[in-house]
Amino acid sequence: MKAILQLKEINFHWHRKDPPLFPSLNLTVPKEKATALLGPNGTGKTTIMDMALGWRHPQGGQIELDGRDIQQWNPRKRGQFMALVPQDETIYFDYSVLEYILLGRAPYLPPLGSPGSEDKQIAEEALKEAGIIHLANRKVSRLSGGERQLVLLARALTQQPQLLLLDEPASHLDLHNREKILKILEKLNRKGISLFFSSHDPELVMRLADHAILLKEGSVIHAGDSRDVLNERNLTELYNVPVRIARVEDRRVLVWGD
Amino acid sequence: MSSKRAVIIKNLILLFLLIALAGGSLLLGRYPHPGFLNPGDLATDPIARNIVMNLRLPRIITAIILGSTLALAGLVFQTILGNPLVEPGFLGVSQGAAFGAALVIILNIKNPLAVPLAAGLFALIALILTWSLARFIRYGGWIIRLILAGIIISALFSSGLGILKYLADPLSQLQEITFWMMGGLSGVGWQELKYILPLTLPPLILIVIMRWRLNLLSMGDRTAHALGISPILEKNFFLLIAVIATATVVAYCGIIGWIGLIIPHIARRLAGSDTGKSVPAALLSGGIFAIISDDIARTVTTGEIPLGILTSLAGALIFTVLMICTPLRKHA
């Protein structure tokens, strides 16, 4: 199993005097797989995403992107290799969807450059991929929550990345939009794009992930093939509530609580 | 929706307007009588030629530089700070410049270069103090810290200015300080332009060339980082060149309010929020606004109305109309 991203013996704390959020964290994201980072709220999933992105620096340990220390990556090359789909984003100005998506071409442009017709074509392809080409000229401020999430995904695709980081990709979407984004992510993964997404929703992870990493109290408690890792015992241990897994047709569904 | 072609046409119209206004303003004045000068007189009347070439021309060029600089710096500040209600004086620059000018007036230094030099110097000192203080503030991200530090340093220079005004001779120095602060272009000629151009043109050209990248900086720092750029480095670069240009025009023209606040709003309404399109619109609209204001300032009365009063009056009225006609958020 070849790794696209590795966090090795990560020591991270917010303030020097505080106990560490991660005393010594190790995790591996395999290449060309869909990997889920699953854990209860407040366990530091977003912080891990930020460190994977090279945006937040741990006090100790090493982060390797495609076998190279993330700090040694040229920012533009890093932007061509890895893209982020944030949970949401504050947008202060009223861009059209196409203008907004084109920002994803930044890693390919020189400092004095601006997007040309080829970039526009790539952006339109990304909009088609995300199924929102009809929104190209709509203002971002007038989109629904589900449409916004798809726009954020399309912008990341405009970066033509090999690794896509997704921070809680479907956490505030309705069932229709959840299904839509899930299908798109499955398709991208089949095309060979590695996915690394955080979630607190085991059912989403069961649907999408090949590989699952279970995070609790600053450590990885279980990691491996998602079919093996996502069992009743591990999920009960993760959430501190009794969890049962039932089968409905060929799907596994979760039943929790006493 | 502002399509690319529509925006180009609008910008061409603005450019034509700017050139026409500049040409018309060359002929507009109170010599030999209030109104327009006959262009034919330029060949025969040496006084008319002298007035046009040595008084009006440098003044009109300065007005364009002033308006374009404040408008573009305002757009840079609003975009980077993610706040459509900020303007270029935000980092202590305006108050620092006013303090410097007042200090020279109080010290009775009569060299004509002393006021702009001191204003420019103290504008830069204010900027350096703001920057340094922001590094020590332990609250919020870098931009919030910069704004907080800017408020503190502005307040400090403002109180210093108050002390200088209190100490000033009320019959001469206090008037001079007040007039300087109200701003104007009456003291600007070719000599002054020689100092203004090298400090304003390079920043303006850089902002125009790199205009598309400003969009990236309006995103959060984390997003900008994920898009493969170094957000803090680039934000600092843009803020620094915008402030240097602003400090230069403030040093020579005094404090001219509102251009840096309203012109970016007008530019976004004309060309859209994409800075690739709104930067040229702001550059041209700023020049147009400043020329019209200065034309009114120098021709309506026999004396001269301070430019800052006119820009504030027009700015307040236009801003009211903009805000009443459309909610701020929509066109922010």
Side-chain angles (χ1 to χ4, degrees):
Chain A
M1 185 176 73
K2 210 174 167 203
I4 195 162
L5 179 74
Q6 272 187 301
L7 276 69
K8 295 176 175 172
E9 291 171 18
I10 296 298
N11 176 267
F12 180 89
H13 31 157
W14 290 108
H15 299 288
R16 221 174 287 161
K17 288 175 188 163
D18 291 353
L21 181 61
F22 304 116
S24 178
L25 182 78
N26 288 288
L27 65 84
T28 300
V29 177
K31 211 169 202 166
E32 293 175 6
K33 302 259 186 209
T35 303
L37 180 63
L38 184 68
N41 297 119
T43 40
K45 297 189 292 294
T46 301
T47 310
I48 291 178
M49 286 287 158
D50 284 352
M51 288 194 288
L53 198 63
W55 173 237
R56 234 175 247 298
H57 309 302
Q59 282 80 5
Q62 200 177 12
I63 299 162
E64 284 182 7
L65 181 63
D66 206 29
R68 258 175 60 214
D69 187 335
I70 190 136
Q71 297 308 324
Q72 284 168 10
W73 277 72
N74 167 294
R76 285 179 63 203
K77 292 278 177 222
R78 190 197 62 230
Q80 294 171 12
F81 189 84
M82 170 171 65
L84 169 76
V85 182
Q87 204 170 347
D88 198 8
E89 196 163 272
T90 313
I91 303 161
Y92 299 103
F93 299 97
D94 211 8
Y95 295 105
S96 76
V97 168
L98 186 62
E99 287 167 347
Y100 193 64
I101 298 296
L102 273 169
L103 300 178
R105 295 306 293 163
Y108 295 89
L109 299 171
L112 301 183
S114 58
S117 55
E118 199 184 319
D119 299 302
K120 199 176 162 201
Q121 215 175 329
I122 292 166
E124 281 168 352
E125 282 302 316
L127 284 173
K128 278 183 201 154
E129 190 104 56
I132 48 168
I133 187 73
H134 59 288
L135 299 177
N137 294 323
R138 188 92 66 86
K139 296 286 184 194
V140 178
S141 60
R142 273 157 228 170
L143 300 179
S144 69
E147 288 168 337
R148 267 171 87 101
Q149 193 71 34
L150 290 169
V151 165
L152 291 173
L153 176 63
R155 187 186 63 197
L157 293 180
T158 309
Q159 287 175 249
Q160 299 179 309
Q162 292 181 46
L163 170 62
L164 204 51
L165 301 183
L166 303 108
D167 195 2
E168 305 274 2
S171 62
H172 45 243
L173 298 186
D174 60 27
L175 290 181
H176 173 77
N177 281 307
R178 251 164 182 250
E179 187 63 18
K180 206 166 165 182
I181 212 155
L182 217 100
K183 287 265 155 58
I184 296 167
L185 291 176
E186 278 170 349
K187 199 169 127 198
L188 293 172
N189 190 221
R190 277 200 299 275
K191 281 186 174 175
I193 296 178
S194 311
L195 306 178
F196 181 38
F197 66 100
S198 66
S199 179
H200 57 253
D201 176 359
E203 275 178 345
L204 179 88
V205 174
M206 282 176 179
R207 288 275 314 267
L208 183 62
D210 309 304
H211 190 84
I213 299 165
L214 272 48
L215 186 73
K216 189 181 182 184
E217 290 163 9
S219 313
V220 172
I221 55 168
H222 300 284
D225 189 305
S226 65
R227 281 163 304 187
D228 303 332
V229 169
L230 299 173
N231 58 41
E232 290 178 348
R233 193 167 49 88
N234 289 350
L235 290 174
T236 302
E237 182 189 350
L238 184 67
Y239 290 105
N240 277 338
V241 272
V243 174
R244 301 283 307 276
I245 297 177
R247 285 201 169 269
V248 176
E249 294 173 353
D250 59 341
R251 291 263 185 88
R252 299 197 297 165
V253 289
L254 227 64
V255 184
W256 73 92
D258 297 317
Chain B
M1 216 282 295
S2 310
S3 77
K4 202 173 174 182
R5 178 178 268 191
V7 170
I8 291 173
I9 290 171
K10 282 178 190 170
N11 280 334
L12 282 176
I13 293 172
L14 286 176
L15 180 66
F16 172 78
L17 250 174
L18 181 68
I19 293 169
L21 268 169
S25 301
L26 274 178
L27 302 175
L28 180 69
R30 304 189 73 84
Y31 178 85
H33 45 77
F36 285 97
L37 184 77
N38 182 352
D41 290 352
L42 288 176
T44 54
D45 183 350
I47 297 176
R49 200 163 54 236
N50 190 30
I51 287 175
V52 168
M53 296 310 291
N54 292 324
L55 291 178
R56 291 186 195 162
L57 185 58
R59 183 168 177 153
I60 287 162
I61 295 173
T62 310
I64 296 173
I65 296 280
L66 168 77
S68 301
T69 298
L70 293 178
L72 225 49
L75 188 67
V76 167
F77 268 66
Q78 291 180 8
T79 307
I80 287 182
L81 303 185
N83 185 341
L85 295 174
V86 297
E87 51 102 24
F90 236 68
L91 299 183
V93 177
S94 297
Q95 293 304 323
F99 177 84
L103 190 65
V104 165
I105 292 167
I106 290 277
L107 293 176
N108 234 348
I109 301 171
K110 291 296 177 202
N111 188 323
L113 271 181
V115 168
L117 262 180
L121 181 70
F122 276 91
L124 282 180
I125 289 174
L127 176 68
I128 292 166
L129 286 176
T130 299
W131 221 270
S132 313
L133 180 62
R135 294 169 66 92
F136 289 103
I137 291 178
R138 291 278 165 268
Y139 176 81
W142 172 243
I143 293 300
I144 296 282
R145 284 188 265 153
L146 262 184
I147 293 177
L148 288 173
I151 291 170
I152 294 169
I153 298 300
S154 286
L156 273 180
F157 276 107
S158 180
S159 67
L161 179 68
I163 293 170
L164 291 180
K165 279 168 141 180
Y166 180 71
L167 295 174
D169 173 0
L171 293 178
S172 57
Q173 293 171 333
L174 189 57
Q175 284 179 13
E176 210 179 323
I177 294 172
T178 309
F179 268 100
W180 185 88
M181 285 188 62
M182 287 194 282
L185 295 172
S186 57
V188 180
W190 289 118
Q191 190 63 28
E192 286 71 25
L193 252 183
K194 268 199 322 205
Y195 298 103
I196 295 174
L197 287 178
L199 288 168
T200 50
L201 277 190
L204 292 185
I205 292 168
L206 273 173
I207 293 169
V208 169
I209 293 175
M210 297 176 74
R211 62 189 185 276
W212 183 77
R213 285 189 93 72
L214 276 171
N215 287 318
L216 299 166
L217 303 177
S218 77
M219 304 288 121
D221 287 349
R222 182 186 183 224
T223 299
H225 172 90
L227 291 169
I229 68 166
S230 308
I232 303 292
L233 192 74
E234 293 205 22
K235 280 183 178 180
N236 284 345
F237 170 74
F238 272 108
L239 288 179
L240 189 69
I241 59 172
V243 166
I244 287 174
T246 304
T248 307
V249 293
V250 169
Y252 281 93
C253 311
I255 297 173
I256 311 286
W258 285 84
I259 296 183
L261 182 66
I262 54 154
I263 298 296
H265 280 269
I266 293 174
R268 278 193 291 267
R269 289 199 64 175
L270 283 173
S273 288
D274 179 357
T275 49
K277 295 164 188 158
S278 60
V279 161
L283 185 86
L284 297 167
S285 314
I288 290 170
F289 185 80
I291 288 189
I292 295 174
S293 303
D294 188 49
D295 280 352
I296 296 170
R298 68 190 172 84
T299 55
V300 166
T301 62
T302 46
E304 178 146 341
I305 306 170
L307 188 59
I309 294 177
L310 284 174
T311 57
S312 293
L313 180 66
L317 291 175
I318 295 172
F319 202 58
T320 308
V321 172
L322 281 178
M323 294 305 106
I324 287 175
C325 290
T326 27
L328 178 65
R329 190 67 188 90
K330 269 190 184 171
H331 290 281

